Amino acid sequence: MTSPVYASPWSGPRLRWIAAAIVVLNGFFPALWILLTSLKTEAELVTRPITWIPRNPTLDNYVAAFTDQPLLKFLANSAAVAAISTVVTLIVSALAAYAIARLNLRHRQWILTAIVASSMFPLITLLVPIFETMRGLGLLNTYLALVLPYTVLSLPVCTLVLVSFFQSIPRDIENAAMIDGCTRLGALWRVVVPLAAPGVFTAGILSFVNAWDEFLLALSLNSNPSMRTLPVGITLYQTEFVFPWPVISAALVVAIVPIAILIAVFQERVVSGLTQGGLKG
């Protein structure tokens, strides 16, 4: 007679559910706490014991977020910089990825290694060279001062994502397009890129989010108040003696909403791109 097998509560599906719950809590709790804080008054925020749910929810903090600082201008600047840098990044990374995936390049593996290595430098080590370059080009306090660095910083990751997708597309499809009269570039934009749509969307989301959230370069390269982006603009709500957490939280919620909408709209393509890219890479 065989003895019954003891099922540990920390194994199998139960453990996976616990791990998933921890990941979800770690990801969503800060955003939820910021949302709840944005609905509280200053008085309620400093009361003890802490109240998790606002007793008297108010939208005054959102009104203050838009009136105390030009939040709409910050949003417009961030949207313009992120959108332009994303488009340029996708164009350049698609060309680079196609060359690596399709052309018979010598030392292809070394090229990929160099791309990976170029993404490992901490941004703080690149700040002075980037600043001096932008100043030399006369681009400080312009959109290009941020678009160019953001494009360069996003290129390695986006190129690697697209390489894995382009390699999975059969060459016969491109050859058929070129036989029908397409040039190689025409086959890339009309055939390869549409077939690699999940990878393109994934690379685009990664590039957009990186540009939307970046703070150090935005602070250093654009000192003109009219050119400040959202991450830098949010820091202006605090003063020497006042730190209005509810108003800052309201501004942070406003900053999170566009990214949340973007992810929600393209969720299926992004998830497909991340999973397929991981399997093919």
Side-chain angles (χ1 to χ4, degrees):
M1 182 176 179
T2 58
S3 59
V5 178
Y6 173 72
S8 172
W10 302 104
S11 62
R14 191 171 301 177
L15 181 59
R16 289 195 291 269
W17 277 105
I18 293 174
I22 293 174
V23 171
V24 170
L25 184 63
N26 180 69
F28 282 95
F29 179 76
L32 178 61
W33 181 248
I34 290 173
L35 175 61
L36 295 176
T37 301
S38 70
L39 299 174
K40 295 180 180 179
T41 62
E42 285 278 0
E44 184 177 358
L45 189 65
V46 298
T47 57
R48 295 294 183 272
I50 295 175
T51 58
W52 295 94
I53 305 298
R55 294 172 181 170
N56 298 301
T58 177
L59 295 177
D60 291 345
N61 297 318
Y62 288 90
V63 175
F66 282 95
T67 55
D68 292 355
Q69 295 291 339
L71 187 58
L72 285 176
K73 181 63 176 176
F74 300 154
L75 280 167
N77 290 339
S78 287
V81 169
I84 295 171
S85 64
T86 298
V87 171
V88 177
T89 298
L90 288 178
I91 293 173
V92 178
S93 61
L95 293 172
Y98 185 79
I100 295 171
R102 287 292 191 258
L103 304 184
N104 297 320
L105 299 177
R106 297 181 59 188
H107 310 298
R108 175 177 173 277
Q109 196 59 43
W110 285 105
I111 294 174
L112 289 173
T113 302
I115 291 175
V116 174
S118 66
S119 65
M120 294 183 178
F121 290 96
L123 182 57
I124 190 67
T125 64
L126 304 175
L127 179 59
V128 173
I130 291 175
F131 182 87
E132 291 297 329
T133 300
M134 294 300 117
R135 184 170 66 175
L137 294 174
L139 295 178
L140 293 180
N141 291 314
T142 65
Y143 286 154
L144 278 178
L146 296 179
V147 168
L148 295 178
Y150 290 170
T151 299
V152 172
L153 293 172
S154 297
L155 275 176
V157 173
C158 294
T159 300
L160 291 175
V161 169
L162 293 179
V163 164
S164 66
F165 276 87
F166 289 174
Q167 287 177 332
S168 69
I169 298 174
R171 293 175 180 265
D172 293 342
I173 298 177
E174 297 165 61
N175 294 335
M178 287 188 281
I179 290 174
D180 289 340
C182 273
T183 62
R184 184 172 287 276
L185 280 178
L188 167 62
W189 298 118
R190 296 179 183 179
V191 177
V192 177
V193 169
L195 290 176
V200 174
F201 277 100
T202 301
I205 293 294
L206 292 174
S207 176
F208 189 92
V209 172
N210 286 339
W212 184 269
D213 292 341
E214 201 282 325
F215 176 80
L216 184 60
L217 291 178
L219 177 66
S220 305
L221 301 179
N222 283 356
S223 58
N224 189 327
S226 65
M227 297 302 298
R228 290 191 176 107
T229 57
L230 197 55
V232 178
I234 290 176
T235 65
L236 301 178
Y237 287 97
Q238 70 181 76
T239 62
E240 185 177 359
F241 302 107
V242 178
F243 208 103
W245 274 116
V247 177
I248 293 176
S249 297
L252 288 172
V253 171
V254 173
I256 293 172
V257 166
I259 297 298
I261 294 175
L262 196 64
I263 296 296
V265 171
F266 299 109
Q267 177 185 6
E268 292 185 5
R269 291 185 177 272
V270 172
V271 172
S272 174
L274 291 173
T275 54
Q276 293 181 35
L279 292 174
K280 294 166 186 174

